[in-house]
Amino acid sequence: MTKLLQGASGYMIFDRMLNLVSVDMGIDLGTCNTLVAVRGQGIVLNEPSVVAVRKNTNQVLHGGTAVGWVAKEMLGKAPGAISVIRPLKEGVISDFDITEAMLKYFITKVTGKRSLIGPRVVISVPTGITAVEKQAVFNSAERAGARRTFLCEQPLAAAIGAGLPVTEPQGSMIVDIGGGTSDVAILSLGDIAVCESLRVASDDFDSAIINHMKRKFNLQIGEQTAERIKIEIGSAAPMGDEKTMEVRGRDLISGLPRKTVVTSEEIREALLEPVTSIAEACTRTLERAEPELAADLVENGITLAGGGSLLRGLGVVLQNATGLSVRLADDPLTCVARGTAIFLENIELLKSTLESDMDV
């Protein structure tokens, strides 16, 4: 047995033996939400990427369980001794220790506390991150308990999860709008042909609404209120019946609580800048595509994925900007996670397309 396990070939045999008793998982490590898919089971976890800790100590509250939905309920409402942190910004890790604690909690929640063997993990990352940012993902996953870690580019995972024929010799275009980044990519033959990663996404929609309420109404609102406004009355293009919504916040002049009414037209105007940035990224990507790929897209069009793609009228804006048909993927929120699950089911065949912790 000892001789069998010596050398690189021995490592591979031992690795396969471990795979029989460990849990393999794909993780969509998002700025707003983290989704986990387990091979053969589909998506088993979908929680906010939020952690509540004690100030100055970074000790996670409630014995390490104040993560995800529990922590999100504290956003904007925590006392001075507690910090509620979103450890990822613009799709990359901004707080190494908190990300490690969050990943460890999610991995343990999926595998169970009694799991003795760490899982192999596929983590999706934006296309535009640096080598240092990739290393931070590897380190966080390793310290959180992963046995092996592979990185998969988000637009490729999103396209696979959306059911696009990415392995065929034809062009497919995906626009994945997450919380911190938007990835625009044209794919063919199982890889990305042209792409652009834009650090403008759903979080910027919320920021634009917050800034609009400050400028026009002298009203300070929180992130969760801005998100509710975006979901209930937000749009990128006129959608017929316009809506209104009562918004509560803190008056910037008097400092007292106040409420006001905003319209969907006002919110659409507030969202114009980030929406335009995404549309311009789409046109730039198309301009760089090979003529044959561009020709395929006339028929195949553009597919939208990610939570930000649910903004009403966004498809209309992109269709007007590009001249191509635009469709929304089935269950766009889970496209990337479902794509990583498909990677897991075919990981032996797809290892060459992934970046592994063994390569760094």
Side-chain angles (χ1 to χ4, degrees):
M1 182 69 175
T2 304
K3 291 182 179 179
L4 181 66
L5 296 179
Q6 287 177 346
S9 60
Y11 175 83
M12 293 175 63
I13 294 171
F14 185 58
D15 193 44
R16 287 171 185 160
M17 291 169 61
L18 290 178
N19 295 340
L20 298 176
V21 292
S22 69
V23 176
D24 288 348
M25 63 180 67
I27 301 178
D28 175 12
L29 189 61
T31 305
C32 291
N33 295 283
T34 295
L35 288 83
V36 177
V38 172
R39 184 170 62 177
Q41 299 181 34
I43 295 171
V44 297
L45 183 143
N46 182 357
E47 296 207 27
S49 302
V50 186
V51 183
V53 300
R54 296 193 183 279
K55 273 191 177 177
N56 303 321
T57 66
N58 277 355
Q59 179 185 0
V60 182
L61 297 178
H62 306 328
T65 63
V67 181
W69 291 113
V70 174
K72 187 172 183 179
E73 292 179 355
M74 304 180 192
L75 268 175
K77 301 177 181 179
I82 296 174
S83 294
V84 183
I85 299 171
R86 294 173 61 182
L88 291 102
K89 293 182 180 178
E90 298 180 340
V92 298
I93 294 173
S94 61
D95 192 312
F96 183 91
D97 293 332
I98 302 301
T99 301
E100 178 191 332
M102 183 178 74
L103 274 175
K104 186 173 183 179
Y105 172 79
F106 289 149
I107 289 174
T108 302
K109 189 171 183 179
V110 172
T111 60
K113 293 182 179 179
R114 296 183 180 180
S115 177
L116 299 177
I117 301 173
R120 289 189 304 176
V121 174
V122 175
I123 300 179
S124 65
V125 294
T127 55
I129 68 171
T130 66
V132 173
E133 291 165 340
K134 288 179 181 178
Q135 187 62 59
V137 177
F138 282 129
N139 292 343
S140 293
E142 180 184 0
R143 293 176 61 178
R147 184 174 90 253
R148 290 286 307 278
T149 305
F150 301 92
L151 299 188
C152 170
E153 293 180 314
Q154 280 180 356
L156 181 57
I160 292 174
L164 298 183
V166 295
T167 59
E168 300 296 324
Q170 60 176 295
S172 300
M173 185 168 178
I174 188 84
V175 179
D176 176 31
I177 305 172
T181 60
S182 295
D183 288 290
V184 183
I186 299 173
L187 307 103
S188 178
L189 292 170
D191 208 346
I192 296 173
V194 185
C195 70
E196 179 170 342
S197 185
L198 187 70
R199 298 200 174 185
V200 175
S202 189
D203 279 353
D204 296 273
F205 297 161
D206 297 341
S207 297
I209 293 172
I210 290 172
N211 292 333
H212 173 78
M213 297 303 295
K214 284 181 182 178
R215 287 194 308 267
K216 184 160 185 180
F217 298 99
N218 287 320
L219 192 70
Q220 177 73 60
I221 62 172
E223 293 179 4
Q224 296 195 72
T225 299
E227 186 177 17
R228 284 198 300 272
I229 295 171
K230 176 184 65 180
I231 292 171
E232 292 186 23
I233 65 172
S235 65
M239 301 301 293
D241 293 338
E242 301 293 352
K243 301 179 180 180
T244 61
M245 179 178 175
E246 186 177 80
V247 179
R248 301 175 181 86
R250 178 169 56 83
D251 192 292
L252 289 172
I253 298 174
S254 68
L256 300 176
R258 181 167 64 87
K259 63 182 180 181
T260 189
V261 175
V262 296
T263 66
S264 54
E265 297 100 321
E266 292 171 335
I267 300 305
R268 185 162 58 250
E269 182 180 348
L271 295 173
L272 180 61
E273 184 176 345
V275 167
T276 300
S277 296
I278 294 172
E280 290 174 347
C282 292
T283 57
R284 286 194 300 270
T285 303
L286 288 166
E287 288 168 358
R288 293 161 48 205
E290 293 292 334
E292 293 296 336
L293 290 176
D296 290 339
L297 296 176
V298 174
E299 180 179 351
N300 298 338
I302 300 172
T303 300
L304 296 179
S309 66
L310 294 171
L311 181 68
R312 297 177 189 86
L314 183 59
V316 175
V317 172
L318 297 185
Q319 184 169 331
N320 292 338
T322 63
L324 301 176
S325 62
V326 179
R327 75 173 185 92
L328 187 66
D330 295 333
D331 196 5
L333 283 165
T334 65
C335 276
V336 173
R338 284 186 282 125
T340 60
I342 294 172
F343 267 120
L344 285 167
E345 293 168 3
N346 302 275
I347 196 166
E348 294 299 329
L349 297 174
L350 294 169
K351 271 184 181 179
S352 61
T353 68
L354 302 175
E355 188 165 349
S356 167
D357 54 0
M358 301 291 289
D359 304 325
V360 297

